[in-house]
Amino acid sequence: MVSSSAWPYPDETREMEQIQADVIVLGGGIAGCMAAIAAAKQGCRVAVVEKAGAVRSGAGGSGCDHWEQCASNPCSSVSPEEMLQAMMDDNDGYNNPISHYIEAREGWDRLLDIEKMGGKIRDTEGEFQGAVFRDEKTGLLFAYDYKNRTTLRIWGTTFKPAMVAEMRRLGVRLIEHVTATALLTEGGRPGGRCIGAAGISGRSGKFYVFSGRSVILATSRPARIWLFSAAYPGLAEFRPLSCIGSGHAMGWRAGAEFTLMEKSVRGEFSAAGRSFPPYAAGNNHNTWYPASLVDNRGVEIPYADRDGNLLPDVMHRFQPAAGQKFFMKGGNIEQAKYAYDGPETLPYQKLQEQGYQLPFYADLSNLPPQERKVIWGMMIGQEGKTRIPVLKDLTDRGFDPEKHVLQCYGVGWKSGDFLPQERQLFGLVGGFMNDWHLMSNIPGLFVAGDALFSSNCYGHAATTGSYAGRHAAAYARSVPEILPERSQVEKERLRVLAPLARDLENGYTWKELNHAVSKAMQNFCGEVKEDGLLLAGLEVLQGYENEIVPRTAAANPHELVRLLEVYDILTVSQIILHSCLARRNDCPKLEFYRSDSLGEAPEPLIAIRQEEGQIHTRQIPLDFAGDVKENYEKYNTDYRQEVSP
Amino acid sequence: MNESRFLVRQVEPAQPLRFDPGKCIGCNRCVNACPIDLLLPAQGKNQPPVPAYPDECWYCGCCVMECPADAIQLRHPLMNQARWVEKNKLKEGHKWNCSNG
Ligand SMILES: Cc1cc2nc3c(=O)[nH]c(=O)nc-3n(C[C@H](O)[C@H](O)[C@H](O)COP(=O)(O)OP(=O)(O)OC[C@H]3O[C@@H](n4cnc5c(N)ncnc54)[C@H](O)[C@@H]3O)c2cc1C
Ligand code: SF4
Ligand code: SF4
């Protein structure tokens, strides 16, 4: 049934607007806003293209309650080098040494920037005065490891509006409700210098051409590859429905190089029926660390240190184990190695043996009052998607953290249980390959935030955004302006507008295509990979591309944006299949397994790109970044002078 | 055609948003702030926006956070409404515990 109510916006599909700036930022999320601010402070004219409204867009728009790996804050006893070393070591080297060093080194500078913009980073009212997690001198609040103090508790709901106000103050041009669809390159050649982007309004259908001397891609990471629900598409994944890795698809078409795209994990955080809303169900992690867990009889489940020693009281949950310098996260959420492993409740198998009964519940009632208040109230209230959907919702329905316990689904921190083939790009996943400028292999194309390989987290997005902004500004000053090729622009305009002119009654919708792609990925690229399956998967997806995409249709610009997203999901799925084909050996750290593994040592990083449909791969050593401190200082001489008076 | 009291309608799996027309001032802040862009402005003045694509809702609550008039209520799909119990009702050996939140 095609229902018809009037579209409230004007039809501008025949129009084209051209916007010129020195630096073009694609995506106005955390990384994009911080990139724009940094580039504008360097004196550049900056334009930000954001597909929604920037004030609350992206994964971090609704909030964020903790800022991790902030080794540079004045209370930290861990150096940025130690922090990076731990992050690399914890992942057997399969991590981004450049971006995470930037995160560890510049986090505190960015928090100070955000505070100046109007974001709240410390307990200015003294609400938590005297609490063990509060530094009395600075008013900063810490989480997890109270001794080493590298993770800050913050009031993240205040950050995004402050960033948007700062962009306006600096004269950054914000183009909102416009989706970037393609990168424009010198001479229209794939692999050529990036000189702009094309985009389309999700309201009027107006086509945009953005040209700049450099481009920063900050459109986050892919999603809806394996997980999809036509009934609840908005709940299919952890990150927003609107963020599906369109930057990756644009980059791939333009010849950009990616790495670790073969890595996926079994679904952990999603809500497409299998899971409950993040942070709204019982658990003892992230926001909820270190809530007590009780079993169905109300008996408390013990916490233990990494050696299995039971912890005598709540306060020990914030302390490193004997002989341990620091731990990175409370609770073994990402299976930390022994060296960095924090306190955790006993493993389920042990609990079962000892007669603990399901279901388990998260219990804040027995925590010291300030610990309870900082979790229920401050953090649940500042975390992404918690202020209204958790704090307000549960409170309105009568939940009282002093009296009630909240049910866990599953046996630990997860908010649902998934099948092996229900996979997700969660945690440190693949993405754009980068150099020390955070530039991709395409000259002039910089990348920041969750679009980078092995990226994750708010502080990482803010720091890499700002860093990419500085470097893209310097690059912009060093190159001439080149205008986009008309033929490339025209080809893109025809591509993106075509579905609006197609037969709606007989056409495929974005949902039907998304479902088909996700089902194919579950079938052909599940938990265990095998060459024949992966190749069959490619054949299916290429069939969709050639035969189905030309028959997809959209009724209005909003639906068109959803459909263009699915085209990109189709492209990203193929990047993933090609990346899986390129890795020949099992690699447990990447949760990558083959039934036809060569049985040799796992390959290091494998970088992959396409050129005229041909796939090119190369191996990159895990330590490709060299001595991080030395190289950071070499590539950031101006920045160092700026911050050290 | 006969007059019928029945109607044909699209059956939705959830209704995430409820607007209070008595409170809404029609400012469209929610429309402009939704990260999914699923709301459309009302055609009439001072009327609540239209949740045109409710299934796309990410349940982030940003529309509620931005609303100056407290005119929006967000409700999770039934399957996603988390359960809690009174702690002191969790007793050794107890079997049936129905105090759902
Ligand atoms: C519920 C939740 C809670 C979280 N809590 C924490 C936390 O407490 N601590 C922490 O460290 N991290 C947290 N994170 C992760 C953190 O929010 C992200 O890592 C961070 O926001 C990534 O920043 P980004 O700029 O790369 O992406 P985003 O902030 O998601 O921004 C991407 C932007 O690009 C826009 N966009 C996408 N495609 C296009 C396109 N084609 N054209 C134009 N614009 C486009 C999007 O609309 C969006 O605004 C949380 C994430 C979620 C979902
Ligand atoms: S809850 Fe979030 S996704 Fe849903 S309508 Fe409101 S702003 Fe949009
Ligand atoms: S923000 Fe609130 S008052 Fe404004 S249009 Fe939306 S519901 Fe109405």
Side-chain angles (χ1 to χ4, degrees):
Chain A
M1 185 181 80
V2 177
S3 62
S4 51
S5 52
W7 187 247
Y9 300 107
D11 177 354
E12 296 178 331
T13 48
R14 279 165 221 276
E15 289 178 34
M16 172 145 86
E17 186 171 338
Q18 306 206 20
I19 291 175
Q20 260 170 284
D22 299 319
V23 178
I24 304 288
V25 181
L26 306 180
I30 307 312
C33 290
M34 293 300 281
I37 290 165
K41 280 188 176 164
Q42 303 282 319
C44 287
R45 289 173 308 151
V46 183
V48 176
V49 186
E50 165 53 50
K51 75 193 291 185
V55 70
R56 294 286 176 201
S57 70
S62 61
C64 166
D65 65 357
H66 67 284
W67 181 298
E68 294 184 22
Q69 336 286 15
C70 192
S72 48
N73 88 75
C75 305
S76 164
S77 59
V78 179
S79 71
E81 292 74 34
E82 279 174 304
M83 184 54 97
L84 194 261
Q85 177 62 34
M87 283 190 265
M88 295 305 292
D89 188 23
D90 199 31
N91 288 283
D92 288 346
Y94 291 95
N95 204 343
N96 193 329
I98 297 174
S99 71
H100 288 292
Y101 187 66
I102 294 168
E103 175 188 26
R105 183 142 174 169
E106 296 189 8
W108 178 241
D109 294 348
R110 297 295 76 81
L111 278 162
L112 289 178
D113 286 350
I114 292 169
E115 184 174 43
K116 267 196 213 128
M117 296 173 203
K120 180 167 156 132
I121 70 161
R122 58 185 110 215
D123 177 23
T124 36
E125 293 87 24
E127 196 186 346
F128 294 99
Q129 220 152 31
V132 276
F133 50 81
R134 185 179 194 271
D135 176 61
E136 295 303 324
K137 205 164 128 214
T138 57
L140 296 173
L141 307 186
F142 296 93
Y144 310 139
D145 183 338
Y146 290 176
K147 182 162 166 260
N148 293 288
R149 302 184 156 192
T150 57
T151 299
L152 283 94
R153 289 171 151 140
I154 47 162
W155 287 259
T157 60
T158 63
F159 285 14
K160 200 80 196 296
M163 290 176 195
V164 171
E166 178 71 354
M167 286 196 288
R168 295 200 198 281
R169 191 183 71 82
L170 292 167
V172 170
R173 186 151 177 203
L174 258 176
I175 299 102
E176 296 174 288
H177 309 287
V178 171
T179 296
T181 64
L183 298 174
L184 302 174
T185 47
E186 183 171 0
R189 276 190 331 275
R193 193 185 124 200
C194 188
I195 52 166
I200 187 155
S201 161
R203 293 183 164 180
S204 69
K206 190 203 266 184
F207 186 75
Y208 285 82
V209 178
F210 304 98
S211 59
R213 294 168 201 266
S214 60
V215 175
I216 302 171
L217 196 141
T219 47
S220 192
R221 61 170 60 163
R224 284 196 269 139
I225 307 287
W226 291 268
L227 297 175
F228 187 67
S229 158
Y232 303 101
L235 290 179
E237 290 261 10
F238 180 59
R239 283 174 164 70
L241 166 99
S242 42
C243 296
I244 45 74
S246 53
H248 292 54
M250 286 185 252
W252 180 254
R253 293 195 284 267
E257 198 173 51
F258 294 83
T259 190
L260 295 183
M261 292 296 289
E262 63 277 24
K263 180 182 178 190
S264 64
V265 299
R266 191 192 279 209
E268 291 177 351
F269 254 111
S270 142
R274 289 222 181 262
S275 132
F276 281 79
Y279 319 107
N283 75 81
N284 62 336
H285 282 268
N286 274 354
T287 304
W288 284 84
Y289 187 79
S292 298
L293 294 184
V294 296
D295 83 343
N296 197 36
R297 303 162 303 168
V299 179
E300 188 169 320
I301 292 167
Y303 270 82
D305 69 12
R306 59 180 183 170
D307 296 309
N309 301 312
L310 299 191
L311 304 183
D313 56 36
V314 172
M315 280 308 145
H316 279 79
R317 298 176 193 169
F318 304 107
Q319 300 299 325
Q324 183 177 39
K325 165 133 197 222
F326 65 99
F327 66 89
M328 286 200 289
K329 239 180 163 168
N332 202 344
I333 190 164
E334 262 134 22
Q335 282 104 48
K337 277 191 179 163
Y338 181 75
Y340 317 105
D341 197 3
E344 177 57 292
T345 48
L346 290 182
Y348 177 62
Q349 210 188 337
K350 269 218 168 103
L351 296 173
Q352 205 183 14
E353 284 162 17
Q354 294 177 14
Y356 285 88
Q357 293 175 8
L358 290 171
F360 297 161
Y361 298 86
D363 179 11
L364 299 175
S365 71
N366 71 345
L367 294 188
Q370 280 177 319
E371 297 294 341
R372 179 169 55 246
K373 193 169 132 196
V374 80
I375 294 177
W376 187 264
M378 193 239 159
M379 293 183 76
I380 308 232
Q382 295 302 326
E383 172 61 314
K385 292 182 70 168
T386 62
R387 189 177 192 80
I388 305 300
V390 188
L391 184 61
K392 182 168 188 308
D393 182 66
L394 265 65
T395 305
D396 286 354
R397 292 199 284 131
F399 178 77
D400 176 354
E402 291 184 29
K403 214 165 75 185
H404 294 124
V405 290
L406 189 58
Q407 193 191 321
C408 303
Y409 298 89
V411 291
W413 64 272
K414 291 178 185 182
S415 40
D417 271 331
F418 290 77
L419 301 171
Q421 70 273 24
E422 291 177 325
R423 307 192 71 73
Q424 196 174 22
L425 299 186
F426 191 79
L428 300 170
V429 295
F432 280 84
M433 186 68 209
N434 60 275
D435 67 11
W436 268 104
H437 297 286
L438 291 185
M439 192 161 83
S440 68
N441 63 312
I442 298 184
L445 179 66
F446 295 77
V447 185
D450 278 357
L452 288 162
F453 87 92
S454 292
S455 56
N456 205 7
C457 292
Y458 201 102
H460 177 274
T463 50
T464 56
S466 194
Y467 185 102
R470 299 198 309 266
H471 286 256
Y475 181 90
R477 280 196 295 271
S478 72
V479 291
E481 183 167 26
I482 299 175
L483 290 179
E485 201 69 20
R486 270 180 71 172
S487 59
Q488 192 182 24
V489 168
E490 194 48 27
K491 203 169 143 202
E492 180 60 7
R493 201 177 71 85
L494 292 175
R495 181 185 82 93
V496 300
L497 288 169
L500 287 175
R502 295 202 192 111
D503 174 10
L504 274 185
E505 293 294 335
N506 295 309
Y508 287 92
T509 66
W510 69 268
K511 285 188 179 177
E512 188 167 358
L513 182 58
N514 200 154
H515 236 326
V517 173
S518 304
K519 187 164 182 174
M521 288 301 281
Q522 289 199 13
N523 281 330
F524 298 106
C525 193
E527 188 176 42
V528 180
K529 278 80 177 172
E530 190 174 314
D531 262 359
L533 265 180
L534 296 168
L535 289 167
L538 271 177
E539 205 178 294
V540 169
L541 297 188
Q542 277 157 11
Y544 291 160
E545 195 148 290
N546 298 332
E547 283 148 40
I548 306 303
V549 163
R551 291 155 68 191
T552 49
N556 58 49
H558 173 88
E559 260 192 47
L560 178 64
V561 167
R562 296 282 98 98
L563 182 58
L564 295 171
E565 286 167 359
V566 184
Y567 293 177
D568 289 342
I569 289 171
L570 190 49
T571 302
V572 171
S573 299
Q574 293 174 65
I575 307 178
I576 291 172
L577 288 169
H578 284 300
S579 303
C580 289
L581 282 165
R583 185 170 287 281
R584 311 297 313 172
N585 290 289
D586 290 347
C587 185
K589 257 294 159 198
L590 302 178
E591 300 198 29
F592 184 85
Y593 299 100
R594 270 180 169 273
S595 54
D596 52 358
S597 165
L598 298 180
E600 295 161 3
E603 295 92 338
L605 297 180
I606 301 174
I608 186 165
R609 68 184 170 89
Q610 66 83 32
E611 198 179 311
E612 288 171 6
Q614 291 296 311
I615 304 298
H616 298 268
T617 62
R618 66 183 176 114
Q619 293 198 359
I620 299 174
L622 298 175
D623 60 358
F624 76 98
D627 182 316
V628 285
K629 184 164 191 284
E630 205 175 288
N631 277 323
Y632 173 90
E633 283 166 10
K634 184 170 119 197
Y635 286 98
N636 293 281
T637 44
D638 297 350
Y639 180 69
R640 277 200 304 137
Q641 281 157 12
E642 207 179 285
V643 290
S644 42
Chain B
M1 212 165 44
N2 288 337
E3 282 280 306
S4 170
R5 66 191 175 90
F6 302 124
L7 50 92
V8 179
R9 64 164 198 172
Q10 181 94 26
V11 178
E12 297 294 348
Q15 252 187 298
L17 303 175
R18 248 149 263 266
F19 292 90
D20 184 336
K23 286 185 180 169
C24 174
I25 55 168
C27 67
N28 287 327
R29 272 176 71 168
C30 54
V31 176
N32 293 325
C34 170
I36 316 299
D37 253 338
L38 65 85
L39 302 166
L40 294 178
Q43 308 281 18
K45 236 180 163 295
N46 292 341
Q47 278 189 4
V50 182
Y53 296 94
D55 55 333
E56 295 173 20
C57 184
W58 184 45
Y59 295 83
C60 60
C62 292
C63 51
V64 182
M65 285 161 78
E66 291 299 309
C67 177
D70 188 26
I72 315 175
Q73 243 201 319
L74 179 69
R75 187 176 80 185
H76 291 291
L78 183 57
M79 64 162 186
N80 264 357
Q81 294 181 12
R83 171 179 175 269
W84 62 84
V85 297
E86 245 176 71
K87 189 182 174 192
N88 62 20
K89 288 197 182 153
L90 291 176
K91 290 271 153 54
E92 185 95 37
H94 107 112
K95 285 268 182 321
W96 305 104
N97 159 21
C98 307
S99 59
N100 201 335

